[in-house]
Amino acid sequence: MARESTDGTNGGCLCGKISYVLTANPLVTAICHCTHCQKQSGSAFSVNLVVRREDLKISGALSTFEDQADSGALIHRRFCGSCGSPIVTEPLDNLEITYLKAGTLDHGHGIVPTVEIWCASAQPWWTSDAPLQGFARNIPV
């Protein structure tokens, strides 16, 4: 499935069965070091765009893994059932926002994280030269 994008607002999964359009700028761009994002991404962290759900239009059928936040709130981790690409994480205790996985953007080279969250569980070798505000755990959005 081909997608056209020149401004970094379109994206989708690896196999092309899921695509999306982001119609507004993110509220925050965060590097998340939580252990669940590490496992889902298969990496040391996940870069997430915090966006209003109404600003994200997704095409294609997402699969869902129901996860639980440290607070006890339920979270839906949504991904492509064919290729496994994580697309969004949806907190069920705040239906107005979603966390869009920045690695799924077609042209995300201009994405600049503004904060780091869950720094308490960051890999011990991780360092950043960027002057980001860091939080030991999550931040309220």
Side-chain angles (χ1 to χ4, degrees), residues 64-86:
T64 302
F65 172 73
E66 189 169 274
D67 199 0
Q68 189 170 22
D70 188 58
S71 67
L74 293 178
I75 299 170
H76 282 168
R77 293 185 178 272
R78 304 193 56 170
F79 57 96
C80 175
S82 293
C83 66
S85 296

Side-chain angles (χ1 to χ4, degrees), residues 50-133:
V50 182
V51 302
R52 286 182 290 277
R53 286 192 199 190
E54 66 188 30
D55 296 335
L56 183 63
K57 310 303 181 213
I58 299 175
S59 300
L62 292 167
S63 294
T64 302
F65 172 73
E66 189 169 274
D67 199 0
Q68 189 170 22
D70 188 58
S71 67
L74 293 178
I75 299 170
H76 282 168
R77 293 185 178 272
R78 304 193 56 170
F79 57 96
C80 175
S82 293
C83 66
S85 296
I87 305 295
V88 293
T89 299
E90 299 173 335
L92 298 184
D93 62 347
N94 186 344
L95 300 178
E96 294 181 14
I97 63 165
T98 191
Y99 304 98
L100 176 64
K101 302 301 182 177
T104 64
L105 288 164
D106 288 343
H107 300 283
H109 304 304
I111 297 299
V112 178
T114 53
V115 298
E116 286 186 79
I117 58 175
W118 289 99
C119 294
S121 53
Q123 294 296 316
W125 49 262
W126 167 251
T127 60
S128 173
D129 293 334
L132 301 178
Q133 184 175 9

Side-chain angles (χ1 to χ4, degrees), residues 31-46 48 65 67-70 75 77 89 101 117-124 135-138:
I31 295 174
C32 182
H33 296 280
C34 81
T35 56
H36 290 215
C37 276
Q38 289 178 29
K39 287 183 184 234
Q40 184 187 39
S41 70
S43 187
F45 53 82
S46 176
N48 299 283
F65 172 73
D67 199 0
Q68 189 170 22
D70 188 58
I75 299 170
R77 293 185 178 272
T89 299
K101 302 301 182 177
I117 58 175
W118 289 99
C119 294
S121 53
Q123 294 296 316
F135 296 88
R137 296 172 55 118
N138 209 348

